[in-house]
Amino acid sequence: MQQELMKLFHTKEFWLRYFWILEDDFSYELLDEQPIKFFLSNEFCLSIDPGHDFSYISFVLKYNQEEFEIAWDDQAHPIPFVFRYDEFNILTTRISEINHLDEWIAKLLLIRFVGADNLSEFQQIIQLQYDLLKSSQLYSEQELDSCKQRLDQAAVYWRNYGRDAQWVVDPTNGKGWLYKGEDAYSLRSFDNTETDNTETDNTETDNTETDNTETDNTETGFPFPLWNRLIEQCKLNEPLIENICEPDQQDSLPREMDINVFDGVKKSISTNHCGEDLVPICISGKWGYINGKGEMVIPPRFLWAWEFATNDLATVEEKGKWGYINVKGETVIPLMFESAGPFADNNLAAIQDNKKWGYINAKGEVVIAPRFELAWPFSNGLAPVRVNGKWGYINDEGEMMIPAKYQVAKCFAGNGLAVVNEDWLHIIEESDEFRVTSVKEKFRYIDTNGETVIPPKFACAWGFASNGLAKVEVDRQHGYINAKGEMVISPRFEYALDFDAHGLAGVYENGKWGFINSGGVMTISPRFEYVLNFAANGLAAVKENGKYGYINTKGEMVVPPRFEDAKDFASNGLAMVSEDWKEGYINEKGQTVVFIDKAGGSKVLRNGDGEIVWQKGKGLTKKNSKKLYCRS
């Protein structure tokens, strides 16, 4: 999840949409049910949920497994006043440190929620937003000028609605700041009557029982004691209890990545490579690997860890540097890169050095010198790379085979076709205002020679699945085409997933999710709140009555819904779940194989029999006097 988000944050279209500069109601599937979360401890999590499109963005404070939606942001109320400016600076600095995130990313994500005391301060916030966009190095001077013009228009809004705005101490208890002013669309506001609720008048204390009382009801208004405690400890740079990764941080790299460029990349796992049996797991903020039995094979010591590639090498991060390990946890390629991606089937991996991207082989030798702004994995012998803000394709010798002229260029699918888009943004001047619209060229498909095979006619398009069908968007509806560009399944679904290896795709119809086959026939009726695609073992996670379970390809419930969260089954037959707010793995029968808990104050990992297989400070448990390594 972290790596996917980092790549998303390094695309200019994301920020244009995030600030409504590009108004195209585009949906990132990654974010549909996966809010952007910043973990400050096992108590506190700050969450930003962009929703299915970017017209609604909410801000949530999570504490002791209870969530407070403390701001919501839509085009009718574009400035939810949550942070005072000093709080914003404190939080973004701490978030960057703990989550290993570039500070400009944290600041851009949270600056939408900063309230100003006067027009001058509001203009300073606008200027900072512009400076942050510029510091991202994603935009040309012309694009930055158009962004600045749009941002300056926000000052007109503030003059009309925020002229009387100011931060004042809550007069009812003096325990926190409230925002006074018209249209201060936030629970931290006089405009919200719930802020006067007496349940928020509890004295500020670290007593757990008192804090739990405050979190029992999300209607009690802004949780001032919790917020004050959070800000104070962040300001003093004090630890907020031990930082423990939550389930959403533990997502391993998906087998089919679908963010801007990754369509078509598939991991063809062989049946005999050892790394297939290992999956990453996070304990106490560190990553290690367990096998299909739930045994700890590689102790948690990495800041981040990806799945093993087909060459049995995995990408890991330690002390801010990236490298590669083997299935025994031994460092094969030194951790010396600023960033690194997984190995593709041609045994080349993208790495970043001195802020430029290139490629190395499995020996760690640089075979394509770092000279690109961004670089993605190889597929069909070509890899998308960005040069001067445009995307093109290189071969495995680093030669530019398809010129860098695209705003969007995705990886080639197995059938040799890739989605591209040349023209993304136009500026239209209307009367005395500049309005940025989503007038853009339609998405099209090219072959490995760069020739257009399917002409531009889709509002959005995705890569081809193994059944030869690709998801496309027409008039805000999703359907599927074949490699000739013919519409095989008419656009009639509000949302849809790619087809999986079983020839099934999740679709959203009449407010529920179901599954269709390659002929467009609904084989599993729409009755679920959300679904994931079927994994290789024929099981798919589905959400029903607020809980996740797993069904088979016949639609039969194999694992009853009981989980707060659930992920796809990995190749070793384990799926990550969250049950009763404990994170762990289950097998295909729904039996708990391993979960993380506390024993005697120490973090431990238990197997399905309840035996401790790893304990902090003691390392791996030995069996038969041998360390637990990957089984042959």
Side-chain angles (χ1 to χ4, degrees):
M1 184 72 169
Q2 174 78 358
Q3 286 298 313
E4 297 169 76
L5 282 174
M6 287 298 292
K7 289 179 172 61
L8 195 60
F9 295 155
H10 283 84
T11 60
K12 60 185 176 183
E13 289 81 11
F14 175 85
W15 298 109
L16 292 177
R17 292 186 180 110
Y18 189 76
F19 293 107
W20 299 329
I21 297 172
L22 178 61
E23 299 173 353
D24 60 353
D25 289 334
F26 188 88
S27 175
Y28 290 109
E29 290 185 13
L30 170 69
L31 302 176
D32 279 354
E33 288 271 328
Q34 298 288 344
I36 301 167
K37 294 188 176 182
F38 297 120
F39 293 87
L40 295 168
S41 72
N42 64 329
E43 289 183 297
F44 289 102
C45 168
L46 304 181
S47 176
I48 300 174
D49 187 358
H52 289 292
D53 59 34
F54 275 32
S55 64
Y56 178 94
I57 295 180
S58 64
F59 185 88
V60 174
L61 169 66
K62 184 176 180 180
Y63 176 81
N64 278 356
Q65 310 305 336
E66 294 289 338
E67 291 188 347
F68 293 86
E69 186 181 43
I70 55 177
W72 52 97
D73 185 356
D74 57 31
Q75 294 190 26
H77 300 86
I79 306 177
F81 304 103
V82 178
F83 300 128
R84 298 177 70 235
Y85 199 71
D86 60 336
E87 295 171 333
F88 164 76
N89 285 319
I90 291 168
L91 278 174
T92 50
T93 300
R94 190 67 183 275
I95 284 171
S96 302
E97 293 174 352
I98 291 179
N99 294 271
H100 311 290
L101 193 69
D102 290 341
E103 192 162 337
W104 66 267
I105 296 176
K107 285 184 178 293
L108 275 178
L109 285 170
L110 270 64
I111 201 169
R112 285 184 67 160
F113 302 97
V114 180
D117 251 348
N118 51 62
L119 179 59
S120 175
E121 188 174 59
F122 186 82
Q123 289 173 329
Q124 291 178 23
I125 294 170
I126 293 298
Q127 182 63 44
L128 175 60
Q129 183 175 326
Y130 170 80
D131 293 340
L132 290 169
L133 289 170
K134 186 175 182 178
S135 70
S136 70
Q137 299 182 338
L138 296 176
Y139 300 92
S140 66
E141 288 298 326
Q142 182 180 2
E143 289 170 326
L144 285 169
D145 287 343
S146 65
C147 289
K148 185 64 163 63
Q149 291 164 352
R150 176 59 183 268
L151 293 173
D152 286 342
Q153 292 300 316
V156 176
Y157 171 88
W158 201 93
R159 287 191 187 98
N160 293 335
Y161 299 103
R163 57 182 178 270
D164 298 322
Q166 58 180 315
W167 287 102
V168 297
V169 176
D170 177 10
T172 60
N173 55 34
K175 298 203 173 299
W177 291 87
L178 288 172
Y179 197 80
K180 179 182 179 181
E182 292 191 36
D183 216 17
Y185 208 48
S186 164
L187 284 178
R188 193 169 178 172
S189 157
F190 280 120
D191 294 342
N192 188 292
T193 57
E194 299 298 337
T195 54
D196 291 332
N197 191 301
T198 55
E199 291 187 50
T200 62
D201 291 341
N202 294 332
T203 56
E204 189 171 352
T205 176
D206 289 337
N207 185 284
T208 304
E209 184 176 349
T210 300
D211 287 344
N212 284 338
T213 301
E214 295 163 18
T215 61
D216 286 342
N217 186 350
T218 58
E219 299 299 324
T220 58
F222 195 87
F224 285 114
L226 306 184
W227 185 262
N228 293 341
R229 175 188 174 194
L230 174 66
I231 296 299
E232 186 64 24
Q233 289 182 286
C234 285
K235 180 173 67 176
L236 299 175
N237 205 27
E238 294 177 353
L240 288 146
I241 309 183
E242 189 164 10
N243 186 35
I244 300 177
C245 291
E246 296 270 20
D248 289 322
Q249 276 189 299
Q250 297 176 359
D251 290 350
S252 53
L253 190 68
R255 283 150 188 76
E256 296 184 39
M257 296 172 286
D258 189 28
I259 301 175
N260 280 334
V261 297
F262 286 116
D263 285 334
V265 175
K266 292 177 172 56
K267 297 176 70 177
S268 54
I269 305 291
S270 61
T271 57
N272 58 358
H273 80 90
C274 192
E276 180 186 18
D277 190 48
L278 301 181
V279 294
I281 189 169
C282 183
I283 304 177
S284 300
K286 298 290 186 179
W287 288 83
Y289 293 83
I290 61 173
N291 62 19
K293 295 180 179 179
E295 300 167 333
M296 181 66 76
V297 177
I298 300 175
R301 68 176 189 272
F302 306 108
L303 291 178
W304 293 104
W306 286 21
E307 284 185 335
F308 281 89
T310 53
N311 62 0
D312 281 343
L313 295 182
T315 316
V316 296
E317 179 195 6
E318 199 170 17
K319 296 181 180 179
K321 293 293 184 179
W322 291 83
Y324 298 83
I325 61 170
N326 61 19
V327 293
K328 294 184 178 181
E330 301 166 339
T331 299
V332 176
I333 299 175
L335 281 69
M336 59 183 179
F337 304 111
E338 296 168 8
S339 188
F343 277 95
D345 289 340
N346 66 349
N347 264 347
L348 295 185
I351 53 90
Q352 184 183 36
D353 186 37
N354 196 25
K355 298 185 178 181
K356 294 293 184 180
W357 286 83
Y359 293 84
I360 61 172
N361 60 22
K363 297 179 181 179
E365 301 167 336
V366 175
V367 294
I368 300 176
R371 63 179 188 274
F372 307 110
E373 296 169 1
L374 280 175
W376 305 134
F378 276 90
S379 60
N380 281 64
L382 298 175
V385 295
R386 194 176 76 187
V387 181
N388 296 325
K390 298 285 188 178
W391 289 89
Y393 295 85
I394 60 171
N395 62 16
D396 57 11
E397 295 182 358
E399 301 170 327
M400 189 67 72
M401 305 303 293
I402 300 177
K405 60 180 181 179
Y406 303 109
Q407 291 284 358
V408 175
K410 302 185 180 184
C411 292
F412 281 93
N415 64 356
L417 299 183
V419 177
V420 296
N421 183 303
E422 284 192 38
D423 191 9
W424 189 258
L425 182 65
H426 291 271
I427 309 300
I428 298 179
E429 184 176 357
E430 293 187 353
S431 64
D432 296 328
E433 296 182 3
F434 281 91
R435 180 170 62 88
V436 183
T437 75
S438 58
V439 178
K440 60 188 179 186
E441 180 200 79
K442 301 292 186 180
F443 285 79
R444 57 193 170 101
Y445 291 81
I446 62 172
D447 61 20
T448 54
N449 294 317
E451 300 293 331
T452 297
V453 176
I454 301 175
K457 55 184 177 181
F458 309 110
C460 197
W462 287 261
F464 281 90
S466 57
N467 67 347
L469 299 183
K471 181 179 63 172
V472 295
E473 181 184 340
V474 179
D475 296 329
R476 300 192 178 186
Q477 297 292 304
H478 292 84
Y480 298 84
I481 62 171
N482 60 22
K484 296 180 180 179
E486 301 167 334
M487 193 65 71
V488 177
I489 301 174
S490 61
R492 63 181 189 270
F493 306 109
E494 187 176 353
Y495 303 105
L497 304 179
D498 292 327
F499 277 96
D500 55 39
H502 301 273
L504 298 175
V507 293
Y508 187 75
E509 189 174 56
N510 297 324
K512 293 291 184 181
W513 284 87
F515 290 86
I516 60 172
N517 62 18
S518 300
V521 177
M522 192 74 71
T523 59
I524 300 176
S525 61
R527 62 182 187 272
F528 304 109
E529 297 163 19
Y530 192 68
V531 300
L532 299 180
N533 271 337
F534 284 93
N537 63 356
L539 297 181
V542 297
K543 189 176 184 180
E544 195 173 52
N545 296 323
K547 297 288 187 179
Y548 283 91
Y550 291 85
I551 61 172
N552 60 23
T553 54
K554 296 180 181 179
E556 300 167 335
M557 192 67 71
V558 177
V559 180
R562 68 176 195 267
F563 307 110
E564 288 88 31
D565 195 13
K567 308 301 179 187
D568 290 326
F569 273 93
S571 54
N572 67 350
L574 298 184
M576 180 176 288
V577 297
S578 174
E579 185 176 15
D580 296 329
W581 306 111
K582 291 182 179 179
E583 296 81 49
Y585 287 85
I586 59 169
N587 61 21
E588 296 170 359
K589 296 180 180 180
Q591 300 167 328
T592 301
V593 174
V594 62
F595 63 89
I596 303 169
D597 67 355
K598 297 181 179 180
S602 299
K603 301 295 184 300
V604 304
L605 190 70
R606 298 178 185 271
N607 62 22
D609 297 325
E611 301 171 327
I612 295 177
V613 294
W614 178 87
Q615 186 167 355
K616 184 178 179 181
K618 296 184 179 180
L620 292 168
T621 299
K622 296 182 179 180
K623 290 188 177 181
N624 300 326
S625 299
K626 294 183 178 180
K627 292 261 185 189
L628 297 176
Y629 288 127
C630 186
R631 62 173 186 258
S632 58

